Amino acid sequence: MPDLSTIVAEIAATMRAETARGTVADYIPELRRVSPDRFGIAVVTRDGEEIVGGDADEPFSIQSISKVFTLTLALGRVGDGLWKRVGREPSGDPFNSIVQLEHERGIPRNPFINAGAIAVTDVLLSGNRPREALGEILRFIRFVAEDEAIAIDEAVARSERETGFLNASLANYMRAFGVVQGQVEHVLGVYFHHCAIAMSCRHLARAGRYLAFNGRIPSLEAGIITPDRARRINALMLTCGHYDGSGDFAFSVGLPGKSGVGGGVLAVAPGTVSIAVWSPGLDAKGNSLLGRIALERLARAMQWSVFG
Ligand code: GLN
């Protein structure tokens, strides 16, 4: 088996030198400030060893990767009842599309497109004030990432609120069908803030351990969720984690993964490792361009694939 540290170092060096880096998201103006030259990678093994390369300790906006953590918390709160309000099918449409909501009576296709994640946020908000719901999300992430300093980038949250007209339409549309039940302003506020959480690759890879290791964090001896639930969240990451690029991600990388428009990707090789990569330039579908290429190389070199 090839040496993991050598491969991670090689990937970090090649990605740093790559000239075709995709385009940094600019529809959230604050995200435009990040340099496309950044590249980070972190891999965490079962026994807690951390192999890192490039800008692995620089925090970035996790954006839609936060949806994995809110889904975990919402399932903890309402269990399978969640599936009355959110579907489990890939959408084949862009992450911010509204088109299916009309045909499907306000029920979003899956918890990772924006509409689905907003419905999940509404579940976390129910019976809570926005501040409490956000506190719960942050506490969870800080615990699984083992870092109490993880915080929300307020400038990013504000920037998204000022330009989030599409997300506001999605939330209002679902409110009309009773899929969103709370106050739309509050739901959006919590959603924008959890998307604006800043984390480094190292912290994100740590945070993904419970998905990689059957719902547990082996080195902490902590049970986070049941093995069954971890398996199902992984299934959703594989089928829906990259929106209308999910098929291609499964084809080229072969691991469950969740992307965000900040350029991060969290991926897991179940039973083996949790991985985070970051490169801010995106492809046409809003997924990190070099992030995918780096994961493809890593998974191929190490022969990590859920497909055998
Ligand atoms: N906060 C972003 C949005 O709602 C998340 C999108 C993403 O990361 N794909 O548009």
Side-chain angles (χ1 to χ4, degrees):
M1 184 56 69
D3 177 58
L4 179 55
S5 322
T6 313
I7 288 172
V8 166
E10 267 169 24
I11 290 174
T14 345
M15 293 299 128
R16 163 99 53 223
E18 192 62 64
T19 47
R21 308 188 74 85
T23 318
V24 176
D26 58 2
Y27 77 101
I28 301 173
E30 193 64 24
L31 294 182
R32 209 187 291 157
R33 296 157 61 104
V34 181
S35 160
D37 295 338
R38 292 277 179 269
F39 178 84
I41 180 165
V43 183
V44 184
T45 64
R46 176 182 282 279
D47 55 18
E49 195 192 344
E50 298 176 355
I51 298 109
V52 300
D55 305 307
D57 287 305
E58 185 167 328
F60 60 90
S61 193
I62 66 168
Q63 291 295 319
S64 286
I65 304 172
S66 61
K67 298 170 182 177
V68 173
F69 308 120
T70 51
L71 173 64
T72 304
L73 289 169
L75 285 170
R77 213 162 206 250
V78 297
D80 282 343
L82 184 71
W83 307 120
K84 291 197 202 92
R85 281 157 75 173
V86 185
R88 301 191 294 257
E89 292 297 341
S91 69
D93 280 317
F95 62 86
N96 53 8
S97 172
I98 198 166
V99 69
Q100 276 163 350
L101 279 184
E102 182 165 20
H103 294 298
E104 294 170 9
R105 302 200 54 76
I107 310 247
R109 272 285 172 100
N110 67 66
F112 293 148
I113 49 172
N114 286 12
I118 291 169
V120 166
T121 300
D122 181 62
V123 167
L124 293 181
L125 190 56
S126 125
N128 277 324
R129 283 177 234 247
R131 189 183 297 271
E132 291 161 348
L134 267 175
E136 186 186 349
I137 298 167
L138 262 180
R139 268 194 306 282
F140 178 73
I141 291 180
R142 286 171 176 162
F143 179 74
V144 291
E146 286 183 78
D147 186 69
E148 285 303 310
I150 290 168
I152 293 165
D153 184 330
E154 288 293 339
V156 172
R158 211 174 314 118
S159 183
E160 187 163 354
R161 185 190 278 281
E162 280 162 11
T163 53
F165 305 111
L166 268 180
N167 286 322
S169 351
L170 296 170
N172 279 292
Y173 206 90
M174 291 187 288
R175 180 72 185 80
F177 285 96
V179 172
V180 162
Q181 294 165 0
Q183 225 175 295
V184 166
E185 273 309 299
H186 288 174
V187 180
L188 286 172
V190 175
Y191 172 79
F192 293 146
H193 280 80
H194 75 62
C195 286
I197 292 172
M199 287 172 81
S200 66
C201 286
R202 186 192 296 275
H203 292 144
L204 209 46
R206 283 186 195 163
R209 289 174 297 184
Y210 72 95
L211 296 169
F213 304 115
N214 278 305
R216 295 181 58 78
I217 302 181
S219 54
L220 289 182
E221 293 187 12
I224 309 295
I225 52 175
T226 63
D228 216 34
R229 191 158 279 167
R231 227 171 267 133
R232 288 175 154 186
I233 296 173
N234 288 342
L236 289 165
M237 284 176 38
L238 185 87
T239 51
C240 314
H242 283 69
Y243 320 109
D244 47 340
S246 300
D248 197 45
F249 188 84
F251 183 85
S252 52
V253 179
L255 300 174
K258 180 76 208 81
S259 69
V261 289
V265 185
L266 171 65
V268 295
T272 311
V273 285
S274 169
I275 314 162
V277 292
W278 172 50
S279 173
L282 308 179
D283 64 16
K285 306 216 158 141
N287 300 312
S288 175
L289 178 67
L290 294 187
R292 189 198 26 86
I293 295 173
L295 283 169
E296 184 175 355
R297 292 197 184 165
L298 178 64
R300 179 166 298 179
M302 298 306 295
Q303 298 190 9
W304 291 333
S305 168
V306 293
F307 300 110

